[in-house]
Amino acid sequence: MAFSPHGNILATASGDHTTQLWDVTDPARPQLLTTLTGHGSWVRALAFSSDGGTLATGSGDRTVRLWDMDADRLVAAACVKPGYGLTIDQWRKVLPTAPYHPICA
């Protein structure tokens, strides 16, 4: 497991090939924010970058994945395609810690 530099997000690794992100702002009531998928084996290593903008995960499938944790960059990437945006459900999956607002207007 790894805490974000600000201490409000906890990333946990799992044998089901996933990584879970938890909001631990209230440690007595952690809330699951999202589950990151994509590895083909156990997630064995986790680390946040020093600025919290990237989460690195390493797996038994011999891959390392870099997850962008920066909300502004994710929103900008979603707006590259004309006519594209994020529904509330999509927003919650990719930007779990950011309040929803319509984008690409």
Side-chain angles (χ1 to χ4, degrees):
M1 72 177 148
F3 283 94
S4 66
H6 299 294
N8 60 330
I9 303 293
L10 172 66
T12 58
S14 178
D16 68 357
H17 311 181
T18 66
T19 299
Q20 293 80 33
L21 298 180
W22 300 86
D23 179 346
V24 292
T25 304
D26 179 356
R29 293 193 173 109
Q31 295 182 23
L32 180 64
L33 297 170
T34 194
T35 300
L36 305 174
T37 61
H39 283 295
S41 185
W42 288 54
V43 177
R44 299 180 182 268
L46 301 164
F48 280 95
S49 62
S50 60
D51 67 357
T54 303
L55 173 67
T57 58
S59 172
D61 65 4
R62 298 181 180 187
T63 63
V64 172
R65 291 187 177 267
L66 300 177
W67 306 90
D68 192 346
M69 303 294 287
D70 184 275
D72 292 334
R73 284 195 304 258
L74 292 170
V75 168
C79 293
V80 170
K81 259 179 128 173
Y84 190 76
L86 295 175
T87 66
I88 292 174
D89 288 336
Q90 290 169 324
W91 181 282
R92 288 183 181 143
K93 286 181 182 177
V94 297
L95 300 166
T97 61
Y100 176 77
H101 61 86
I103 59 171
C104 310

